[in-house]
């Protein structure tokens, strides 16, 4: 919904969050933390987090939050104690920039300027070379065949050691499958296979490709090297407009289906070719164009066959999926959505470093809020399906789907929240009990509430009742909450929720928060005597 149609209270007196986007120093050797309360002794493993951590080299400054050099964090939890360590990813981008003490590799929102030491002709011609994609993999930790990688949205990932955070080899997706890039949000099935989406373009057009990486082979001798062997494209979906394909950050997966959401955030390929010559950065070639509808492409995950039916909805944008499951011939899809896709370009460091008060208020109040929505897609639509009547016949769903033309279905969503959520500014960074409930009917998800430009509360949503549980304190900025199930869990929310809390009002007082997932009350915290920047995504690597 747009800001006008939901009753948000306008924020005033928002504090500066500049410390959350300031360069930090790495802590390569684990340090002890101060425990307050109790960390359950059954938690055994590492909470791994990723995100931007260095925003300048020499005199050069990055423009956009996404551009900062990837910094990996590890909170190792064992027998009620916690140690902390962090390392910058030694990507080619990081190494080259460090060697020359300036920005020499272009990022999402920052264009590397030609080398001032080159002569004028070399500088001029360097503008006509398309810059190489960055391997600054600062978005997420992902897993393929049992190995950990850090990932961004280019064709490059980096394998990493989840214990030491050591950077290993650079991995190029295009050496394994015909894609130019892949997301940092893969899905995992219960057999150990990993699914992702990438794109490719050539003379026959622009395609969104679904990739499957098989599970690790049993009893195979494990070598200390990348292994994406067996990766294959199981379905290629042609862009509805080849010169203006859609940006995507994630995709939907249930037990039997994958859905690609083609949204009206468009990449102008002509501009993309010219952007280097014009001296423009990548985020300038993305435009929000609500004259386009949102298209849901339905694919059978086992056969790779795409449905002939075109499923559409009003223009919206989504970055993160919550969950999806099948119910009596319908596919129920829950996701965080907004009605204004300009928001990605807004996260410039200049905006994020605005002063406390009027400047920050103005920026925050101009932004679209993201809210959880539910779409219900009818799986069997054919010539016999009647026109112009709601096909969603299940009693407990308010979303609708109508066949408007032969082979076309138009869907409207159900708001997956009550008005109470609006006072927390909507939500983002959703997480569930993934191992047990991804792709299956579920009841709870966890997220950050956005009463500020970055998350300033933790929320637990009951999707059956739309009731919220909230953890929120002034001056505390929590990271994406990650659920960890207790060893003898019998219910969906038996376990804990982990989040890193950044405290811009106080130096070096970051802490790892452990909440009881059921009651959403604090069990304990581990205080870290270092400054940690605000990150993106993370995972829990259980030690069994």
């Amino acid at each position: 919904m747009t800001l006008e149609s939901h009753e948000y209270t306008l924020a005033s007196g928002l504090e500066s969050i500049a410390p959350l986007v300031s360069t930090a120093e790495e802590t390569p050797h684990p340090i002890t933390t101060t425990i307050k309360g109790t960390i359950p002794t059954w938690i055994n493993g590492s909470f791994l987090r990723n995100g931007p951590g260095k925003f300048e080299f020499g005199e050069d400054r990055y423009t956009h939050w996404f551009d900062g050099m990837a910094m990996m964090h590890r909170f190792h939890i064992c027998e009620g104690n916690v140690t902390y360590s962090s390392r910058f990813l030694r990507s080619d981008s990081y190494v080259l920039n460090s060697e020359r003490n300036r920005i020499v590799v272009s990022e999402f929102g920052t264009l590397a300027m030609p080398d001032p030491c080159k002569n004028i002709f070399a500088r001029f011609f360097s503008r006509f070379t398309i810059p190489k994609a960055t391997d600054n993999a600062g978005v997420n930790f992902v897993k393929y065949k049992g190995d950990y990688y850090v990932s961004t949205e280019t064709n490059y990932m980096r394998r990493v050691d989840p214990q030491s955070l050591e950077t290993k080899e650079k991995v190029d997706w295009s050496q394994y499958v015909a894609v130019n890039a892949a997301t940092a949000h893969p899905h995992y099935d219960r057999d150990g296979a990993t699914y992702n989406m990438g794109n490719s373009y050539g003379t026959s057009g622009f395609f969104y490709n679904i990739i499957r990486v098989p599970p690790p082979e049993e009893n195979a001798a494990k070598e200390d090297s990348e292994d994406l062997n067996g990766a294959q494209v199981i379905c290629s979906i042609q862009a509805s407009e080849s010169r203006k394909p859609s940006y995507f950050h994630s995709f939907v997966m249930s037990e039997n289906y994958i859905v690609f959401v083609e949204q009206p955030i468009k990449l102008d390929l002509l501009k993309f070719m010219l952007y280097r010559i014009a001296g423009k950065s990548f985020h300038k070639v993305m435009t929000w164009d609500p004259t386009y509808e949102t298209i849901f492409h339905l694919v059978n995950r086992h056969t790779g066959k795409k449905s002939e039916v075109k499923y559409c909805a009003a223009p919206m944008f989504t970055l993160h999926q919550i969950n999806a499951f099948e119910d009596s011939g319908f596919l129920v899809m829950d996701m965080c959505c907004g009605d204004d896709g300009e928001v990605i370009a807004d996260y410039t460091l200049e905006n994020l470093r605005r002063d406390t008060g009027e400047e920050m208020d103005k920026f925050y109040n101009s932004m679209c809020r993201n809210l959880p929505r539910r779409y219900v897609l009818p799986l069997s639509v054919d010539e016999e399906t009647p026109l112009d009547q709601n096909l969603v016949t299940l009693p407990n769903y308010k979303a609708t789907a109508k066949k408007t033309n032969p082979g076309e279905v138009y869907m409207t969503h159900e708001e997956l929240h009550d008005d109470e959520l609006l006072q927390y500014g909507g939500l983002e960074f959703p997480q569930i009990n993934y191992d047990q409930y991804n792709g299956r009917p579920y009841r709870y998800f966890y997220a950050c509430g956005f009463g500020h430009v970055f998350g300033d509360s933790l929320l637990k949503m009951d999707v059956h009742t739309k009731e919220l549980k909230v953890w929120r304190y002034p001056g505390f900025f929590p990271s994406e909450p990650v659920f960890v199930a207790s060893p003898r869990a019998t219910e969906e929310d038996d376990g804990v929720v982990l989040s890193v809390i950044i405290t811009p009002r106080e130096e070096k007082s970051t802490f790892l928060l452990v909440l009881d997932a059921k009651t959403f009350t604090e069990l304990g915290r581990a205080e870290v005597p270092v400054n940690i920047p605000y990150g993106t995504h993370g995972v829990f690597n259980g030690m069994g």
Side-chain angles (χ1 to χ4, degrees), residues 173-195:
W173 271 110
S174 63
Q175 300 300 305
Y176 292 90
V177 281
V179 295
N180 304 95
T183 83
H185 289 288
H187 274 293
Y188 309 98
D189 71 14
R190 287 177 175 82
D191 300 324
T194 307
Y195 293 79

Side-chain angles (χ1 to χ4, degrees), residues 133-134 144 151-157 172-175 177-184 196-201 206-211 233 247-248 267 272 282:
T134 181
Y144 295 97
S151 175
T152 177
E153 300 194 315
T154 68
N155 54 313
Y156 294 120
M157 298 188 295
D172 181 353
W173 271 110
S174 63
Q175 300 300 305
V177 281
V179 295
N180 304 95
T183 83
N196 205 341
M197 288 205 62
N199 52 44
S200 61
Y201 45 91
F206 191 102
F207 293 88
Y208 313 109
N209 300 313
I210 301 171
I211 308 159
V233 171
Y247 168 76
F248 58 98
L267 304 175
F272 181 68
F282 182 69

Side-chain angles (χ1 to χ4, degrees), residues 307-349:
S307 167
E308 299 293 312
V309 180
K310 182 182 178 185
Y311 297 93
C312 297
M316 63 85 169
F317 89 99
T318 179
L319 291 175
H320 299 116
Q321 311 305 312
I322 304 169
N323 200 4
F325 58 90
E326 294 147 47
D327 183 358
S328 313
F330 295 89
L331 178 60
V332 180
M333 302 176 289
D334 298 344
M335 56 191 83
C336 292
C337 303
D339 285 319
D340 180 0
E342 300 284 4
V343 66
I344 299 174
D346 291 339
Y347 274 72
T348 62
L349 291 164

